[in-house]
Amino acid sequence: MNRHDLALGAGAGLLSAAAGLAAGHLVAALIGPAASPVLAVGSAVIDRTPTPLKQWAVGTLGNADKPVLLGSVLAGTLLLAALGGVVARRTFPVGAGVVLVLVAVAGWAALSRPAARPVDVIPAIVTAAVALGALRWLSPDATGPREVVDGMGRRRLLMRAGVIAGGALVAGTAGQWLVARVQDVKNIALPRARRPLGPLPRGLESRYRGVTRFQTPNEDFYRVDVNLTVPIVDHDSWTLRIDGMVDRPYELTFAELLDLPMIECDITMCCVSNEVGGPYLGGARWLGVRVADLLARAGVRPGADQILSTATDGFTISTPLSAAQDGRDMIVAVGMNGEALPREHGFPARLVTPGLYGYVGSTKWLTRMMVTTYRDRSAYWTDRDWATDGPIKIASRIDTPAALKSVDAGRIVVAGVAWAPGRGIAAVEVRVDDGPWQEAQFGPDAGVDYWRQWYLLWDAESGRHTLTVRARTPDGEVQTDDREPPFPDGSSGLQQIVVIVR
């Protein structure tokens, strides 16, 4: 096979795969975006990735980890499809077999998800049909050997390739449009809390540029989860089931949940994957129903020690039962910063548990809470060797000046945030080089479950300087300088940055 034939075969394989994947994506947009072939394979890869590698991806790639994974899956698929196209130019059944193997993997991945339905295999079937049809249409057996050689044949081949490429573009674009269209949450009227909180005060960001905003806007709130696509949940048919070791199991519709007494809570959330000084945390005002009230209605039986919560896609999180019974504001949240939950943050309902990392207390797209024991049930992350309990460690961060930034000598503002949800922050101290610890000033206070903004006015002298920050809780615990990675129970250590003073 000469280079010309190799190029034609590879091109036919790539175009055929692109057309099939686009058609499958369009169908998945109609029945369930997670069943889209590339997304299904990517999700299967995430579920089977060893914990150290997964943690490396989050720490190294940050918010780009999922795009990189999807790009890698897509690139690998297209590469194998190109190989199938080359083989098909010699023996079409063998080349078609390569394509079928790829599609079979996608079908298996879609059906292997915890909440998979039989219809989730349909996008893979459509992908197979379109890809094989396109490959056949572009193969020598279909166009005739001479048509690839003479001028008329080239024009016909280019025409067919153009039709397939155009169809793939239309189908892929339509699929993305449909997914984006249903992701907006509209026309959801939230109830008022029984005792509404007053407006959050203005934060230090109004005075000092570069300080993290006191209230994180919904669109800027961090998102770390295993979902490559946001679950689309119909709130009219959604239910929340409370069962397990209870006397009176029951279900709530979304309308019934909204009719229950609501509370407002100012809570800072943090991801266990957050490195020292990292970005995976945010503060918001949440509206929801106390989990304690929901469990009281069900009647918890003696011996239970865990709430195993399940998302609509089958993902599970284990939360200590004590977190719902010790007086903290653990809630089933329906609102975030005065609006209905955005879909990417758990619409129609999610758990929010102050004082616990998200992997332990913040199930999004919540659909079930089972009261059980740790001995009998385990969850997604604990099955992957993360710590069973996930209390958020006391931590602090420097927001301004930025690391390695050059600043003019004189008085400058060193500022940032500190957090220890459930306990609060009593003091923040900053050290310049090897000098004494200097106590910082605080911004507004929104309670022990919320972070504190802090600032220090520093008379900076020319040279290279190292700034270090630490925090202290009201009970006297000082943030440790022992450096530990996020796995298995959250990072620890003091953040240090280098600043160049001109």
Side-chain angles (χ1 to χ4, degrees):
M1 184 179 291
N2 57 40
R3 290 184 180 179
H4 183 65
D5 282 341
L6 284 173
L8 288 175
L14 287 171
L15 269 180
S16 301
L21 291 173
H25 187 63
L26 175 58
V27 173
L30 298 173
I31 66 174
S36 182
V38 172
L39 295 176
V41 173
S43 295
V45 171
I46 287 178
D47 288 346
R48 290 157 180 82
T49 298
T51 296
L53 181 57
K54 193 177 297 185
Q55 181 59 33
W56 173 87
V58 173
T60 304
L61 302 174
N63 291 328
D65 60 338
K66 292 173 183 175
V68 168
L69 172 61
L70 287 177
S72 300
V73 171
L74 181 60
T77 300
L78 293 178
L79 181 62
L80 291 174
L83 175 62
V86 171
V87 175
R89 287 194 66 78
R90 282 187 175 274
T91 309
F92 182 82
V94 177
V98 174
V99 175
L100 285 176
V101 169
L102 291 173
V103 176
V105 170
W108 165 81
L111 292 177
S112 68
R113 300 295 291 162
R117 306 160 298 165
V119 296
D120 289 339
V121 77
I122 293 178
I125 294 174
V126 171
T127 297
V130 172
L132 289 177
L135 184 61
R136 181 67 182 177
W137 204 34
L138 294 173
S139 70
D141 290 340
T143 60
R146 293 291 303 166
E147 292 181 338
V148 185
V149 178
D150 61 41
M152 180 62 71
R154 289 193 183 91
R155 285 195 296 270
R156 185 174 299 176
L157 185 62
L158 288 173
M159 179 198 70
R160 293 182 178 185
V163 169
I164 293 172
L169 179 62
V170 171
T173 302
Q176 280 298 99
W177 179 81
L178 286 172
V179 170
R181 187 182 181 194
V182 298
Q183 282 183 348
D184 289 337
V185 177
K186 299 177 180 178
N187 303 321
I188 303 295
L190 295 178
R192 285 175 57 83
R194 285 178 301 177
R195 292 186 292 274
L197 299 176
L200 280 167
R202 295 181 65 186
L204 293 178
E205 69 272 14
S206 62
R207 294 163 52 191
Y208 303 122
R209 181 178 299 178
V211 182
T212 294
R213 295 181 65 170
F214 192 50
Q215 183 176 16
T216 309
N218 291 355
E219 60 273 16
D220 294 336
F221 209 92
Y222 79 94
R223 178 191 165 202
V224 177
D225 51 53
V226 299
N227 299 79
L228 292 176
T229 184
V230 175
I232 306 300
V233 183
D234 176 19
H235 64 279
D236 289 326
S237 60
W238 173 89
T239 60
L240 172 61
R241 179 162 182 80
I242 293 103
D243 60 8
M245 296 175 63
V246 298
D247 295 324
R248 299 172 296 278
Y250 65 97
E251 285 189 355
L252 290 170
T253 66
F254 187 62
E256 290 170 337
L257 181 64
L258 294 186
D259 283 339
L260 296 178
M262 296 274 166
I263 64 170
E264 284 184 329
C265 315
D266 295 326
I267 297 173
T268 291
M269 294 177 58
C270 182
C271 180
V272 71
S273 297
N274 204 40
E275 299 280 357
V276 172
Y280 298 135
L281 75 155
R285 173 162 292 179
W286 306 90
L287 175 72
V289 178
R290 290 183 188 273
V291 173
D293 294 342
L294 297 174
L295 295 182
R297 174 176 168 180
V300 176
R301 295 174 182 169
D305 59 10
Q306 177 194 187
I307 301 172
L308 184 73
S309 52
T310 306
T312 55
D313 59 359
F315 177 83
T316 54
I317 278 180
S318 59
T319 308
L321 178 61
S322 59
Q325 299 177 327
D326 61 7
R328 76 181 78 186
D329 289 331
M330 179 182 182
I331 61 173
V332 173
V334 296
M336 181 179 182
N337 289 331
E339 302 174 356
L341 287 173
R343 288 199 187 274
E344 61 268 25
H345 291 296
F347 179 84
R350 67 172 294 166
L351 284 179
V352 176
T353 308
L356 296 181
Y357 288 117
Y359 85 102
V360 171
S362 298
T363 310
K364 293 186 280 191
W365 312 291
L366 179 69
T367 190
R368 184 184 183 188
M369 291 193 297
M370 173 190 285
V371 180
T372 182
T373 65
Y374 284 106
R375 181 185 62 188
D376 293 337
R377 300 276 182 167
S378 59
Y380 183 93
W381 288 116
T382 47
D383 284 341
R384 287 156 177 79
D385 299 324
W386 288 83
T388 300
D389 297 323
I392 297 176
K393 298 177 180 179
I394 178 176
S396 55
R397 186 180 73 194
I398 300 172
D399 293 333
T400 185
L404 299 178
K405 182 179 180 180
S406 295
V407 297
D408 292 331
R411 176 158 291 192
I412 68 171
V413 175
V414 181
V417 289
W419 61 97
R423 293 177 290 168
I425 297 294
V428 172
E429 297 174 312
V430 178
R431 183 173 63 194
V432 180
D433 300 323
D434 295 322
W437 288 101
Q438 304 175 58
E439 187 161 340
Q441 302 298 308
F442 280 134
D445 185 0
V448 297
D449 292 332
Y450 212 65
W451 55 12
R452 295 298 301 270
Q453 294 174 319
W454 58 267
Y455 70 98
L456 176 75
L457 300 180
W458 171 40
D459 292 321
E461 298 179 355
S462 297
R464 180 187 177 96
H465 299 284
T466 299
L467 304 179
T468 309
V469 63
R470 71 181 184 185
R472 185 174 73 246
T473 60
D475 59 9
E477 180 184 356
V478 179
Q479 182 180 346
T480 180
D481 60 359
D482 292 336
R483 195 81 173 197
E484 296 291 343
F487 181 79
D489 61 353
S491 65
S492 67
L494 305 183
Q495 184 190 18
Q496 292 184 323
I497 67 169
V498 172
V499 178
I500 310 300
V501 181
R502 296 186 292 263

